[in-house]
Amino acid sequence: MMKWTVLFLLLPIIRCQENLEIVSKTRTSYLQEYGGYVDVVVMHVEIPKEVSFASLKFSADETQASMFGCSPRKVLMYMKHKSLPVINPDGSKFPDSFKNISRSQYYYLELMSDKSVKYLNLTSPDPGCYFITAFLPYNDPKHESIQPPELTPECYAFVETTLYVKRRPSVGQIVEDAAHTVEAFTSHGVLYTFFVPEFVTHATVLIDDIAFAKTATRLVVRIQSRSIPSEKSFIKAEIIEPTFADKSVTIPFVTSEDNWHFVEFIFEGSATITESKSSLRFSLKYFREDTERTVNTTGWRIFNSDRITNVMRYKQYDLVRESSTESFSYSYELRQKFTISSSVAVNLTSNEFAVLQFRLRQHADIGGTLQFVISFKPRVDKATKTIQAEPEGHKIIACIRPEAPELPTWPDLCSYDDDKIAAPLVLSKSTDNSSMMIPYPESGVWYATFKLFCGECVPCSCPDGCQKTFEGCVKDCEATCVDRHTCNNCSLDCKTEVVNSNGCAKCDCEGPCLRNKQVCNSSVVFDISSTACANNCGKHGRCMFMVCDGVVYATCVCSDNYRGWDCSDDSQATPYYMIVIELLLLVLSNLMFLPAVYVAYRRKYYVEAIVYFAIFFFSTFYHACDAGEKIISFCITRLGALQFADFYCALLAIWVTLIAIADLPSYWPTMCHITGAIILSFTTTINKTGIWGFVLPVATGLVIIAINWFLKWRKVRQLFLHKRYLYIYIPLGIVVVCVGLTIFIFLETSDNYKYLHSMWHVLMAVGVIILLPRSNTFQPEATL
């Protein structure tokens, strides 16, 4: 019984997967822990057109490259349409001027690297590129252990992504003013596609001759731009009851210029085997801007809206692109006829607003940072030839967004449909300029809008009856108009008619404020440009170009523990006094090797004294170059050379000390010293931090000590070591050295490095002083 129940539950999924086809399959490179955008792995998938459903299958796994086992780890993924997702999983602060303006939804997914599978399903997805970032969770580097690579598991995680789609081709393409007949069975949708050219602001679908079958209860019409409409995805949805079968129905909707659109007709009801078809006839009508564009690429247009208070005129400017061969370096200029090199300002009046239109190319323009700056153009008094201040009450509200212009409204809002957000830029007399940055902007057409406000805002109180009259007027005008000029001005003409009628004078509004009879004017200078990295990454970072899965993008790589998109977040940066303390601890702790040099010299270990002085010298200058975080560092040569000398001399000091403890015959120490120096230079060059570089001299030295001491004992058959050295110095020295090695190999982290590594210096120097034999350590004299 349980088996049949599970099969029944999985049956819809199985049927759904039968209709899916694989479009692409991508495997990432190995993932890294997030420390900045430089650590993410980027991939992209392309969803084709006319897709009603898409499913992304994600699976993560680990590759083991060491003897230690790999435990499953969490993998984080973000996905966004048209551009890279802007994220900060490390909790770093975004710059104040960053505005993550986007119309695309962010998708977030977590999965474990244990071959488990997760799906991300998209209904009626927009076609085009979806960019995915994958990485391992952020861990505070200050608490990460500094261990040799041989003692840590070597595991590499990766993600595999498979894209499945379900296509739904349209039955045909429709054109403007042509009549089309639709016949469909109940509960079967019929899909048409049509292309909306440039300059078309909105359109209407006129439906008549509707014939409902007996099983059909209502007609559902859905319209969507770019993607196939669904129950939750549409720009316009209309339900027509059978009572309207003998009437004409007009469905107005806002269009997206230069894009494909879809319209779907569904006669809903209860389907039967012997049902008849329902039918209708429809036509499509476009409404364009009123006038042709002039030679300076500007034109008056009407901001059409369902609300009478938002209908107004605006002037649109198409910007000219200027770019260079450097990646993500481009700008947009407003140019007039015959103007070659100088850009001009945008002239504004309080009666209308201005729109700047520009286009970002797919892939080529999305990997940088878009900058938007506005400021008042200085007013020059022609009579006195002096610069005047901007009037006190003048205020400019600016908005920017992709795909459609927004309406700037009082006091600091941007309005689109019924959504209102805070305006990213507000300019007044008290501010010289207002600026913002948009990281990884989406490709496509962008619109920047300005509106000038002056005087006080008198609240608008348009009666509901006037709003309904306006809606009916627009609907009738667009359904019956024939002349192009009349059709394109229906909303503005209807607003004028309603405002001039009795009781509707209070509808002469601009958003929430009554129209100010006093007309003011101003000019604004703008800068719309792109750079690779925000603020050029400041003083604590450098800009790098990354290429992953064919996607090129720029990101900042921060130093000195700074974080953030422009390396301006100093929340984890080391304070200056701590940098001084770190430098002093790591440098001055090496002074403990000077007593070791003196002790070795006094006990006639001259080679050892030279080695101890070398480690003092190179370790001091290595940490003086490395510890100050490039703020107070002092380097006598390259850091890599100093690091090699420090590690090499440390290993050589261990080796010569063990040879001294072994007390070899006169000619053997020289051979061991030169042999050890050659081998250690080779191993240090291969891997300076490898654990085997420490194990090899220690193990070999202990074996030599054991063999030589055993031969000495066998020859003299009595204790040949001084009792104090055997029972006090050797155990004490071993404890000191073991504590130092434990600290160095297992306990050091980025946060405690300055303390524990300084202690390692001290313990190693003290251990050398304790373990280095005296002249009377080996008694009686035993020679081989």
Side-chain angles (χ1 to χ4, degrees):
M1 183 65 182
M2 179 63 66
K3 179 178 68 175
W4 292 107
T5 303
V6 173
L7 181 62
F8 176 77
L9 294 175
L10 293 177
L11 186 60
I13 300 177
I14 296 174
R15 288 179 176 177
C16 180
Q17 291 181 345
E18 290 178 354
N19 298 324
L20 297 179
E21 60 175 287
I22 296 180
V23 175
S24 63
K25 194 171 185 179
T26 306
R27 185 182 186 274
T28 68
S29 56
Y30 295 131
L31 306 182
Q32 299 181 31
E33 290 185 359
Y34 186 90
Y37 218 93
V38 69
D39 299 318
V40 306
V41 174
V42 176
M43 55 182 167
H44 70 283
V45 295
E46 182 87 18
I47 295 184
K49 298 179 181 178
E50 298 189 349
V51 168
S52 61
F53 177 79
S55 179
L56 288 132
K57 174 186 174 183
F58 298 101
S59 176
D61 196 7
E62 296 270 3
T63 299
Q64 182 176 330
S66 64
M67 62 180 179
F68 299 96
C70 295
S71 301
R73 292 179 289 177
K74 183 183 292 185
V75 176
L76 308 182
M77 306 182 70
Y78 288 84
M79 187 176 76
K80 182 177 176 292
H81 185 222
K82 288 189 175 183
S83 185
L84 299 166
V86 180
I87 55 176
N88 61 335
D90 58 346
S92 59
K93 299 176 183 177
F94 286 116
D96 294 336
S97 58
F98 259 36
K99 304 293 182 182
N100 191 11
I101 293 179
S102 169
R103 287 195 65 193
S104 300
Q105 181 181 354
Y106 276 60
Y107 300 93
Y108 173 72
L109 194 69
E110 291 184 8
L111 63 159
M112 300 298 295
S113 59
D114 56 359
K115 297 184 180 181
S116 60
V117 176
K118 281 196 175 182
Y119 290 88
L120 180 61
N121 299 325
L122 306 175
T123 303
S124 299
D126 283 348
C129 279
Y130 286 76
F131 295 85
I132 305 170
T133 57
F135 51 90
L136 301 176
Y138 168 80
N139 288 319
D140 193 338
K142 291 184 177 181
H143 304 302
E144 289 187 356
S145 178
I146 303 176
Q147 293 183 353
E150 293 85 355
L151 297 181
T152 56
E154 193 173 356
C155 304
Y156 301 98
F158 63 90
V159 174
E160 191 171 80
T161 303
T162 307
L163 172 62
Y164 301 87
V165 299
K166 181 180 179 181
R167 301 179 188 268
R168 187 188 174 189
S170 58
V171 299
Q173 182 177 335
I174 58 179
V175 295
E176 184 183 10
D177 295 331
H180 301 269
T181 302
V182 177
E183 292 185 349
F185 290 105
T186 304
S187 300
H188 287 72
V190 179
L191 185 70
Y192 288 88
T193 182
F194 57 96
F195 185 77
V196 174
E198 197 176 4
F199 310 144
V200 174
T201 58
H202 63 293
T204 61
V205 172
L206 179 62
I207 304 175
D208 54 15
D209 295 341
I210 306 174
F212 286 87
K214 293 182 180 180
T215 55
T217 57
R218 63 179 185 174
L219 169 64
V220 178
V221 183
R222 299 191 187 103
I223 303 170
Q224 178 65 301
S225 61
R226 296 179 298 277
S227 63
I228 295 174
S230 64
E231 293 182 2
K232 297 182 179 180
S233 176
F234 53 83
I235 58 175
K236 187 71 175 183
E238 194 82 14
I239 298 176
I240 303 173
E241 303 291 343
T243 54
F244 289 85
D246 56 345
K247 299 179 182 179
S248 296
V249 179
T250 301
I251 304 176
F253 61 96
V254 178
T255 58
S256 178
E257 297 183 28
D258 200 23
N259 271 301
W260 286 96
H261 290 59
F262 296 87
V263 56
E264 183 182 30
F265 302 94
I266 304 176
F267 287 93
E268 294 185 345
S270 56
T272 62
I273 299 178
T274 59
E275 65 176 320
S276 58
K277 289 184 177 181
S278 301
S279 63
L280 59 86
R281 189 177 64 177
F282 76 96
S283 60
L284 180 68
K285 181 186 288 188
Y286 292 149
F287 297 91
R288 298 169 174 81
E289 62 180 34
D290 186 27
T291 58
E292 296 295 335
R293 303 206 172 189
T294 57
V295 292
N296 64 349
T297 68
T298 65
W300 287 106
R301 307 183 72 174
I302 300 173
F303 189 83
N304 294 284
S305 174
D306 294 337
R307 302 294 302 175
I308 186 175
T309 55
N310 291 341
V311 175
M312 64 184 71
R313 297 207 315 165
Y314 67 90
K315 200 170 189 178
Q316 180 162 309
Y317 302 82
D318 290 339
L319 303 184
V320 178
R321 178 189 175 96
E322 289 188 351
S323 60
S324 67
T325 56
E326 184 180 353
S327 298
F328 313 122
S329 178
Y330 55 87
S331 62
Y332 295 92
E333 301 288 342
L334 176 65
R335 300 188 183 278
Q336 292 186 341
K337 190 178 181 182
F338 306 126
T339 301
I340 298 176
S341 60
S342 61
S343 58
V344 295
V346 178
N347 297 321
L348 301 175
T349 67
S350 56
N351 282 338
E352 55 272 326
F353 65 98
V355 176
L356 308 179
Q357 177 182 281
F358 58 98
R359 181 182 292 273
L360 299 185
R361 298 176 300 179
Q362 188 177 12
H363 292 289
D365 292 345
I366 64 173
T369 301
L370 188 68
Q371 180 177 265
F372 183 28
V373 184
I374 62 172
S375 63
F376 285 113
K377 180 183 178 181
R379 291 173 174 262
V380 179
D381 189 337
K382 296 181 179 180
T384 61
K385 296 183 180 181
T386 59
I387 297 178
Q388 296 180 337
E390 193 71 22
E392 186 68 33
H394 284 199
K395 184 178 186 180
I396 292 179
I397 298 175
C399 309
I400 186 170
R401 66 170 283 144
E403 298 185 355
E406 289 178 313
L407 176 64
T409 59
W410 184 268
D412 55 0
L413 300 174
C414 295
S415 176
Y416 180 78
D417 287 341
D418 295 329
D419 297 330
K420 292 183 179 180
I421 62 172
L425 299 181
V426 178
L427 192 63
S428 61
K429 181 182 178 181
S430 59
T431 55
D432 294 333
N433 62 71
S434 186
S435 64
M436 62 176 290
M437 290 185 291
I438 305 173
Y440 300 154
E442 297 177 10
S443 60
V445 179
W446 281 70
Y447 297 88
T449 56
F450 312 96
K451 191 169 191 326
L452 173 65
F453 295 87
C454 56
E456 297 181 357
C457 174
V458 179
C460 174
S461 56
C462 181
D464 293 338
C466 299
Q467 172 64 28
K468 292 181 180 179
T469 303
F470 167 75
E471 293 174 358
C473 175
V474 172
K475 195 171 185 178
D476 294 340
C477 175
E478 293 181 345
T480 59
C481 66
V482 178
D483 178 68
R484 176 180 173 183
H485 177 78
T486 304
C487 291
N488 295 335
N489 286 276
C490 280
S491 58
L492 190 61
D493 292 342
C494 285
K495 177 174 182 176
T496 303
E497 181 181 338
V498 172
V499 167
N500 292 331
S501 63
N502 293 332
C504 294
K506 293 183 178 180
C507 293
D508 188 14
C509 304
E510 296 176 339
C513 306
L514 282 174
R515 181 184 296 275
N516 196 336
K517 303 301 181 182
Q518 177 187 359
V519 179
C520 57
N521 59 74
S522 185
S523 296
V524 64
V525 180
F526 70 91
D527 174 45
I528 298 177
S529 59
S530 172
T531 58
C533 294
N535 300 326
N536 201 26
C537 299
K539 298 180 180 179
H540 303 280
R542 55 193 176 96
C543 187
M544 290 187 61
F545 291 91
M546 309 296 294
V547 181
C548 194
D549 195 21
V551 181
V552 183
Y553 58 96
T555 184
C556 289
V557 179
C558 304
S559 59
D560 306 333
N561 292 325
Y562 279 76
R563 303 186 303 164
W565 280 80
D566 61 347
C567 300
S568 61
D569 184 355
D570 60 353
S571 58
Q572 290 191 357
T574 307
Y576 185 78
Y577 74 92
M578 287 302 299
I579 294 176
V580 175
I581 292 175
E582 178 181 358
L583 181 66
L584 293 176
L585 284 174
L586 292 172
V587 170
L588 297 181
S589 60
N590 289 288
L591 293 175
M592 281 300 298
F593 285 101
L594 291 180
V597 173
Y598 175 76
V599 169
Y601 177 79
R602 291 283 295 176
R603 297 176 185 176
K604 298 183 181 182
Y605 291 102
Y606 303 117
V607 173
E608 288 78 357
I610 294 174
V611 174
Y612 299 154
F613 182 80
I615 190 175
F616 155 75
F617 179 84
F618 287 113
S619 181
T620 297
F621 284 100
Y622 164 62
H623 288 294
C625 181
D626 180 64
E629 298 186 5
K630 300 179 183 179
I631 297 177
I632 53 176
S633 58
F634 175 75
C635 301
I636 61 173
T637 185
R638 293 184 298 107
L639 178 63
L642 292 172
Q643 185 185 38
F644 172 85
D646 177 34
F647 279 81
Y648 174 67
C649 289
L651 295 175
L652 192 59
I654 295 174
W655 174 249
V656 298
T657 303
L658 292 173
I659 296 301
I661 296 173
D663 191 37
L664 296 173
S666 58
Y667 58 88
W668 283 101
T670 303
M671 295 178 59
C672 291
H673 289 162
I674 191 64
T675 303
I678 294 173
I679 295 176
L680 291 177
S681 65
F682 177 71
T683 58
T684 307
T685 303
I686 294 175
N687 187 358
K688 293 186 289 290
T689 60
I691 188 64
W692 296 112
F694 285 89
V695 172
L696 181 63
V698 171
T700 306
L702 292 177
V703 169
I704 292 174
I705 292 173
I707 293 174
N708 193 53
W709 283 12
F710 173 75
L711 294 176
K712 283 177 176 288
W713 175 84
R714 193 176 67 173
K715 183 176 182 179
V716 299
R717 295 291 180 175
Q718 63 178 330
L719 182 64
F720 58 89
L721 288 171
H722 196 287
K723 291 184 179 181
R724 180 179 297 177
Y725 183 78
L726 179 62
Y727 297 118
I728 297 177
Y729 292 145
I730 286 182
L732 181 61
I734 291 176
V735 170
V736 171
V737 172
C738 288
V739 171
L741 289 174
T742 302
I743 290 174
F744 180 78
I745 296 176
F746 300 104
L747 301 181
E748 285 186 358
T749 65
S750 298
D751 194 32
N752 63 24
Y753 176 80
K754 52 184 171 292
Y755 305 113
L756 296 188
H757 197 76
S758 299
M759 189 180 297
W760 148 264
H761 290 164
V762 174
L763 290 175
M764 288 300 100
V766 172
V768 166
I769 295 173
I770 295 174
L771 292 174
L772 199 64
R774 293 169 173 80
S775 58
N776 62 346
T777 297
F778 300 96
Q779 294 177 353
E781 184 69 21
T783 58
L784 297 177

